[in-house]
Amino acid sequence: AETNSNLIGFSHGFATDAHAYYVPNNNGALSGYAARVSLSDFSSSGVEYFNLAETNSNLIGFSHGFATDAHAYYVPNNNGALSG
């Protein structure tokens, strides 16, 4: 299976016991494409992604991220105007 060509330009990453998360920043333009990879499956089938900007167009250009037991959080930085 192929992954999405928009999955480039990450600013940072973080991990939980099960996944590595990649923080969307700029993939040629400010991006909201967040990705996570299963730590037990490094093939393309272990990659999951979603575009935060499909939920809200301002959800692009993040700088960092972190996780709790239940959620992943992305820290805003620049969505066309510096933010955060």
Side-chain angles (χ1 to χ4, degrees), residues 17-79:
D17 290 340
H19 295 95
Y21 291 81
Y22 297 88
V23 178
N25 184 272
N26 189 320
N27 63 5
L30 293 172
S31 173
Y33 279 90
R36 77 176 187 175
V37 176
S38 169
L39 296 179
S40 63
D41 181 1
F42 286 103
S43 73
S44 59
S45 64
V47 176
E48 298 176 278
Y49 66 91
F50 58 96
N51 184 359
L52 293 163
E54 287 180 1
T55 302
N56 181 313
S57 62
N58 289 315
L59 296 178
I60 56 175
F62 298 89
S63 63
H64 291 83
F66 60 94
T68 65
D69 289 339
H71 297 93
Y73 295 89
Y74 297 95
V75 179
N77 180 51
N78 183 351
N79 64 2

